[in-house]
Amino acid sequence: MKKYIYIILIYMTSLIASSCSDWFDVTAPSEIRKDDHFSSVTGFQQSLIGCYIGMTDDALYGTNLSWFATEIMAHQFNPYVNSTNIGLAYWLQSFNYTNTYTTPTVEEIWEKAYNVIVNVNDELANIEEKKEILDDLNYHIIKGELLAIRAYIHFDLLRLYGYGNWSQRDTELDEKRTIPYATEVSKDPAPQYSGAETIKLLLNDLNEAAALLKDYDPITKTKAASFYQEYNEEGFFNERTLRMNYYAVKALQARVYLWRGKNEDIVNALSAANEIITALENNIAINEMYTYCNFLTPETVNKSCTSMSRENIFGLNVSDVASRIVNYIKPYYLDSENTPMYLLTTDAMSLYENSATDIRLTTLMEPNTNAQNTGYTPLKVYQSDLANDYKNKISMIRIPEIYYIAAECYVKQNNPNLPLALNCLNTVREKRGLYTHLWRI
């Protein structure tokens, strides 16, 4: 996609901080002079939150890159049989990205993603120019999160617009030009980098982010929760799983390493995953800062928590999810409706081995027997029955993925360790109600 993207830097100046979620409640965005905005700690904090809000745009993780477009392209649901009254979803499903339905969406994902990246880069430039404004804590947290956001979005752009199957084609793909990796604000387009260069830039950002956050992020518990009290009057350091915290950075490192898949990458991915698993086993919850991250269990999962946001290592607070999904996530769809996303009953039953105890089927899917096409609707983003703490949360990285990464790494390392791989898989299975373990054959 070759076009110039002009960015308007919009800063959030009316973020009320009366509760733990208020940093994500935008009331009245406005444009103000950059020099004035980056003249205080609050200005830097607001700009960082503005980047997260940018990520919740419908073109990005508010819709397309979470529950809609990427899921349709991956054929996760019963396929649409024609394009009548469906349009975009049908052609995404068909991998046709050059017609009047799909091209605007493909271009908007690209544009909005780089829009957020430019805002990130603008703040990164200012954080160095005006470092004296920030105390040590805010400097490390804000800069670390900004670098992590930049890496997260670039990695998804690489996977969407670059090339795949890297571990099997690394000699070829390391040399191919992929995407622009933008690290500064400039009137000139960022250059397209080769695959090897792009991944190096990704890992550079993630390594620096991890180094910045490790001793300062509340979620690591390197410092007692009381340390943050004088800095946290407005709740900026609360709810760390709604931000690119230290363990989210390690999780993204594991994703990137495993995706590239060279021998040394498998070692690094496993190391990152195991660091997170160890932290989870030691409990990373911080009650004083409204930060919780733990496996839900068959005993604790019910219709009030089907978003599973308590398992988020990183998630986004997305405003009004209910209105975004209204035409697509409909548990009691009608035969006359063309757009609902669901699995046919036969497909659902073939995916889940125990229909009596597997909560992914019994609780996290809703059966609809009123239509001729009987099926199951996923409730991951369905809002109607959720408790307030679980509403409007979009998962970006969840705990099970870390165990799956570790399991794959144990199998792929030079000396495969199948028992440890199976331990990881069985841990997830138990949390989903599958008590019959997978055994080594």
Side-chain angles (χ1 to χ4, degrees):
M1 186 170 312
K2 298 183 185 274
K3 68 176 186 174
Y4 292 94
I5 301 171
Y6 295 91
I7 310 299
I8 298 175
L9 299 176
I10 298 178
Y11 301 104
M12 309 302 165
T13 62
S14 299
L15 295 172
I16 306 171
S18 59
S19 74
C20 60
S21 296
D22 286 338
W23 277 97
F24 293 91
D25 296 335
V26 184
T27 54
S30 61
E31 297 178 31
I32 64 176
R33 290 178 56 203
K34 182 174 70 174
D35 289 345
D36 291 339
H37 189 75
F38 290 118
S39 62
S40 68
V41 173
T42 301
F44 278 98
Q45 292 176 340
Q46 289 175 343
S47 292
L48 172 63
I49 300 304
C51 293
Y52 287 110
I53 293 169
M55 293 174 73
T56 70
D57 191 278
D58 277 332
L60 301 178
Y61 304 99
T63 298
N64 279 327
L65 301 189
S66 55
W67 62 268
F68 181 63
T70 48
E71 296 288 274
I72 295 294
M73 290 187 285
H75 289 199
Q76 297 282 52
F77 303 102
N78 189 43
Y80 298 113
V81 296
N82 61 64
S83 61
T84 305
N85 299 323
I86 300 172
L88 176 61
Y90 176 82
W91 294 112
L92 287 173
Q93 165 194 279
S94 305
F95 311 127
N96 185 327
Y97 308 126
T98 58
N99 64 37
T100 55
Y101 288 104
T102 54
T103 296
T105 296
V106 170
E107 291 183 347
E108 188 177 26
I109 291 170
W110 177 273
E111 181 176 348
K112 295 290 186 178
Y114 278 107
N115 201 312
V116 175
I117 290 168
V118 167
N119 281 274
V120 166
N121 288 337
D122 182 65
E123 186 166 4
L124 282 169
N126 277 277
I127 209 170
E128 293 305 321
E129 291 175 8
K130 302 180 179 182
K131 187 176 179 179
E132 72 282 355
I133 292 172
L134 298 171
D135 55 78
D136 208 34
L137 175 62
N138 275 284
Y139 173 80
H140 280 80
I141 294 288
I142 293 173
K143 184 175 181 181
E145 289 187 34
L146 288 168
L147 290 167
I149 292 170
R150 185 166 78 183
Y152 193 106
I153 296 175
H154 274 116
F155 184 49
D156 277 354
L157 288 170
L158 176 63
R159 294 192 292 175
L160 285 167
Y161 297 90
Y163 302 92
N165 199 16
W166 216 276
S167 62
Q168 302 299 316
R169 302 168 59 199
D170 60 293
T171 302
E172 171 194 1
L173 298 182
D174 278 357
E175 300 302 317
K176 282 185 176 290
R177 296 290 169 187
T178 56
I179 61 168
Y181 199 100
T183 58
E184 60 182 21
V185 179
S186 172
K187 62 181 177 60
D188 299 316
Q192 282 181 281
Y193 289 97
S194 69
E197 291 170 331
T198 301
I199 294 176
K200 182 179 179 180
L201 288 164
L202 274 168
L203 292 173
N204 286 347
D205 275 352
L206 290 172
N207 290 338
E208 186 177 357
L212 285 161
L213 291 169
K214 186 170 186 178
D215 294 332
Y216 290 87
D217 193 333
I219 206 168
T220 67
K221 298 188 176 180
T222 305
K223 295 175 171 59
S226 58
F227 168 81
Y228 299 93
Q229 287 180 355
E230 65 176 292
Y231 302 94
N232 201 33
E233 291 182 1
E234 296 186 344
F236 178 73
F237 295 100
N238 290 348
E239 296 190 280
R240 292 301 299 159
T241 57
L242 287 176
R243 309 260 287 279
M244 280 299 291
N245 62 76
Y246 174 74
Y247 294 119
V249 172
K250 299 304 293 184
L252 186 53
Q253 281 181 328
R255 272 186 186 177
V256 175
Y257 280 124
L258 183 59
W259 189 76
R260 184 169 64 175
K262 297 181 180 181
N263 288 338
E264 62 272 23
D265 293 329
I266 300 302
V267 174
N268 289 327
L270 181 58
S271 175
N274 276 336
E275 183 176 351
I276 301 166
I277 290 171
T278 299
L280 289 165
E281 290 174 347
N282 291 327
N283 185 16
I284 62 176
I286 315 169
N287 294 332
E288 302 93 327
M289 304 176 81
Y290 307 98
T291 294
Y292 309 98
C293 183
N294 57 269
F295 259 124
L296 296 173
T297 67
E299 295 73 31
T300 58
V301 173
N302 54 51
K303 296 298 185 184
S304 71
C305 60
T306 54
S307 68
M308 306 293 278
S309 60
R310 185 61 64 92
E311 294 187 356
N312 288 349
I313 294 173
F314 170 45
L316 289 173
N317 195 63
V318 178
S319 64
D320 197 17
V321 171
S323 69
R324 302 181 191 223
I325 66 172
V326 65
N327 291 322
Y328 294 94
I329 307 299
K330 306 184 73 169
Y332 305 108
Y333 56 86
L334 303 174
D335 286 320
S336 59
E337 294 178 294
N338 295 312
T339 56
M341 300 161 68
Y342 62 92
L343 285 171
L344 290 176
T345 299
T346 52
D347 293 332
M349 292 300 172
S350 68
L351 281 174
Y352 302 104
E353 66 186 76
N354 190 327
S355 60
T357 66
D358 191 338
I359 61 170
R360 292 172 297 182
L361 180 67
T362 63
T363 309
L364 303 181
M365 304 277 279
E366 183 68 26
N368 179 13
T369 58
N370 295 325
Q372 281 189 324
N373 287 329
T374 61
Y376 283 77
T377 299
L379 302 179
K380 182 172 63 174
V381 293
Y382 188 63
Q383 301 292 301
S384 293
D385 300 320
L386 293 181
N388 287 336
D389 287 348
Y390 289 88
K391 284 184 180 290
N392 296 319
K393 303 292 194 303
I394 294 292
S395 298
M396 304 286 276
I397 304 172
R398 283 180 48 239
I399 294 173
E401 179 185 350
I402 307 308
Y403 284 82
Y404 293 144
I405 288 174
E408 187 171 341
C409 289
Y410 280 126
V411 172
K412 287 185 173 180
Q413 62 186 359
N414 287 334
N415 296 307
N417 190 324
L418 296 184
L420 286 181
L422 291 172
N423 284 346
C424 291
L425 296 178
N426 285 328
T427 297
V428 179
R429 286 169 61 84
E430 286 182 3
K431 302 301 183 182
R432 298 299 171 256
L434 294 172
Y435 302 109
T436 302
H437 284 184
L438 298 170
W439 296 103
R440 182 177 178 180
I441 298 174

